[in-house]
Amino acid sequence: MKLTNAAAFFIFVPTLTPALDPFSASILTGGAAVAWQLLSPQSWLKCRFLECCNMRDTLNLSVLKMDLDRKVFGQHLAIQIVLRALSANMHSERPRKPLVMSFHGWTGTGKTFVSSIIAENLYQFNIPRRRFVHHFNTVLHFPYLSHVHLYKEQLQNWIRGNVSACPRSLFIFSEMDQMPHGLIDSIMPFLGYHEEIDGIYYGKAIFIFLNNAGGDKVTEIALDYWRSLKRREDIPVKKLQSLLSEEIFRNKNSGFFHSQLIQKNLIDYFIPFLPLEYKHVRECVRQELRVQGHPENEDLIAEIALAMTDYPSEERLYSSKGCKTVESRVTLST
């Protein structure tokens, strides 16, 4: 059996220690153990101090649920679907395909925030995540329509290389409503039901798309329920997901316009982020006051939340910006 350098060194340590005093021998033995841990590909110590891919799927769903419930407001449907999706993917030793989720809703409703909480919980020991969490901003990374063919090749190579290095890679695509048409279809082969592609297994990868497209449809349904004196908690998830799929497929302002990812049913979950009501914005303000180290002034909380609740113009039920500007408003008001 072939030994790594670290393992071989650790094996030969006992032959050296009798000639040393107990203190020196303990230092040598301890040093060998550290060296073995740092060089071993499955080492917990290496994961502690260096960057490595978390191959043991240590996502604690209970902790993730607690984080989402504590930090995200007004998104019971989104949290419910996200937890269910991650649970199914994590409990499978070898998922048949990557987990693909598309988040839809108005700006400021928590799409980016939820994706960042998932990323924070996905890897153990709070190791640096930059090698395993890949965030593509459409405006920043794919700005020129004339370069779409180049972007397709670059995107395929980036995903192929990073999944090869770490099967549990997370890819987040923001501003999908500004994605050049056809570009996202270039990653279609990686999202399907394949055992492997050119020797690379993609089933443990996670893809999250963040999209303002479909947000108006989500708000329209939520508003209809409110006007019918029905609770937003009773909105049927399956109906919303179906409507979102149809909406973004037909919407020219969507990166999924006539996308093969939708035609071939490769997006597993279309996740609605509901518009935020006055009570939800209040909680955002309250949390921001804590973050900035200010006391929870109920009058100030109510004032800021009321000013941000502006849609529709008559009912003023929802915040058209969600909690997007809460931080700056709190800063200016304290």
Side-chain angles (χ1 to χ4, degrees), residues 210-229:
L210 311 181
N211 209 328
N212 290 338
D216 289 345
K217 176 62 69 174
V218 173
T219 299
E220 176 187 322
I221 293 172
L223 190 56
D224 285 344
Y225 262 68
W226 180 80
R227 285 171 173 165
S228 300
L229 303 180

Side-chain angles (χ1 to χ4, degrees), residues 18 20 28 30 39 53 62 73 77 85 98 103 113 123 132-133 144 146 219 245 258 262 281 302:
L20 302 174
L28 180 61
L39 293 174
C53 177
S62 297
F73 308 111
L77 290 180
F103 295 177
F113 193 31
Y123 299 100
F132 317 121
V133 179
Y144 305 112
S146 59
T219 299
S245 173
H258 287 181
I262 296 179
V281 180

Side-chain angles (χ1 to χ4, degrees), residues 42-89:
Q42 302 298 330
S43 164
W44 65 266
L45 189 59
K46 182 178 179 181
C47 287
R48 185 70 173 177
F49 293 104
L50 305 176
E51 290 189 21
C52 69
C53 177
N54 175 20
M55 300 297 294
R56 297 193 300 163
D57 296 341
T58 57
L59 177 65
N60 188 321
L61 289 167
S62 297
V63 173
L64 175 60
K65 182 180 186 305
M66 183 173 63
D67 270 359
L68 292 171
D69 287 340
R70 183 166 52 90
K71 299 175 181 177
V72 182
F73 308 111
Q75 302 302 348
H76 67 285
L77 290 180
I79 292 175
Q80 172 188 333
I81 301 170
V82 163
L83 290 173
R84 186 187 305 151
L86 286 169
S87 176
N89 183 266

Side-chain angles (χ1 to χ4, degrees), residues 62-308:
S62 297
V63 173
L64 175 60
K65 182 180 186 305
M66 183 173 63
D67 270 359
L68 292 171
D69 287 340
R70 183 166 52 90
K71 299 175 181 177
V72 182
F73 308 111
Q75 302 302 348
H76 67 285
L77 290 180
I79 292 175
Q80 172 188 333
I81 301 170
V82 163
L83 290 173
R84 186 187 305 151
L86 286 169
S87 176
N89 183 266
M90 292 290 170
H91 287 156
S92 174
E93 290 187 8
R94 194 173 175 86
R96 296 177 58 207
K97 70 179 294 294
L99 172 59
V100 185
M101 299 182 286
S102 189
F103 295 177
H104 298 269
W106 276 357
T107 183
T109 52
K111 302 184 298 296
T112 300
F113 193 31
V114 169
S115 66
S116 68
I117 292 174
I118 292 172
E120 289 169 3
N121 281 272
L122 195 55
Y123 299 100
Q124 60 182 348
F125 300 131
N126 289 322
I127 62 172
R129 290 177 290 275
R130 61 183 177 273
R131 287 184 55 194
F132 317 121
V133 179
H134 313 282
H135 188 182
F136 299 94
N137 182 293
T138 296
V139 176
L140 178 63
H141 294 106
F142 314 117
Y144 305 112
L145 291 176
S146 59
H147 294 173
V148 167
H149 289 294
L150 175 62
Y151 296 151
K152 288 181 178 180
E153 182 180 349
Q154 291 175 336
L155 192 52
Q156 287 180 341
N157 289 337
W158 183 260
I159 291 174
R160 186 184 295 113
N162 282 286
V163 174
S164 177
C166 178
R168 183 65 81 191
S169 289
L170 172 62
F171 300 93
I172 301 170
F173 294 81
S174 62
E175 308 293 344
M176 277 297 298
D177 46 305
Q178 300 185 56
M179 176 76 72
H181 294 163
L183 174 55
I184 202 62
D185 283 348
S186 66
I187 71 172
M188 182 182 64
F190 307 130
L191 306 188
Y193 294 85
H194 303 289
E195 187 65 25
E196 288 182 351
I197 301 176
D198 296 331
I200 301 175
Y201 169 62
Y202 291 86
K204 287 192 174 184
I206 300 173
F207 293 80
I208 300 177
F209 303 110
L210 311 181
N211 209 328
N212 290 338
D216 289 345
K217 176 62 69 174
V218 173
T219 299
E220 176 187 322
I221 293 172
L223 190 56
D224 285 344
Y225 262 68
W226 180 80
R227 285 171 173 165
S228 300
L229 303 180
K230 297 178 182 178
R231 304 186 313 150
R232 61 195 272 142
E233 287 77 12
D234 296 330
I235 297 175
V237 174
K238 290 184 178 179
K239 177 183 177 182
L240 256 181
Q241 292 196 81
S242 177
L243 290 172
L244 278 174
S245 173
E246 296 173 7
E247 171 76 12
I248 64 173
F249 183 76
R250 296 195 306 262
N251 189 345
K252 290 185 178 181
N253 294 321
S254 162
F256 292 115
F257 177 65
H258 287 181
S259 171
Q260 294 185 58
L261 269 61
I262 296 179
Q263 285 182 318
K264 296 184 180 298
N265 299 309
L266 296 180
I267 299 178
D268 302 302
Y269 303 91
F270 294 91
I271 302 182
F273 279 69
L274 299 174
L276 299 185
E277 299 176 3
Y278 169 76
K279 62 183 179 182
H280 305 127
V281 180
R282 279 181 61 97
E283 293 307 311
C284 290
V285 177
R286 188 185 307 280
Q287 180 167 279
E288 185 58 34
L289 284 170
R290 293 171 186 159
V291 169
Q292 295 192 21
H294 302 302
E296 296 180 21
N297 184 322
E298 295 298 332
D299 291 337
L300 179 60
I301 291 172
E303 178 186 338
I304 295 176
L306 190 61
M308 294 182 65

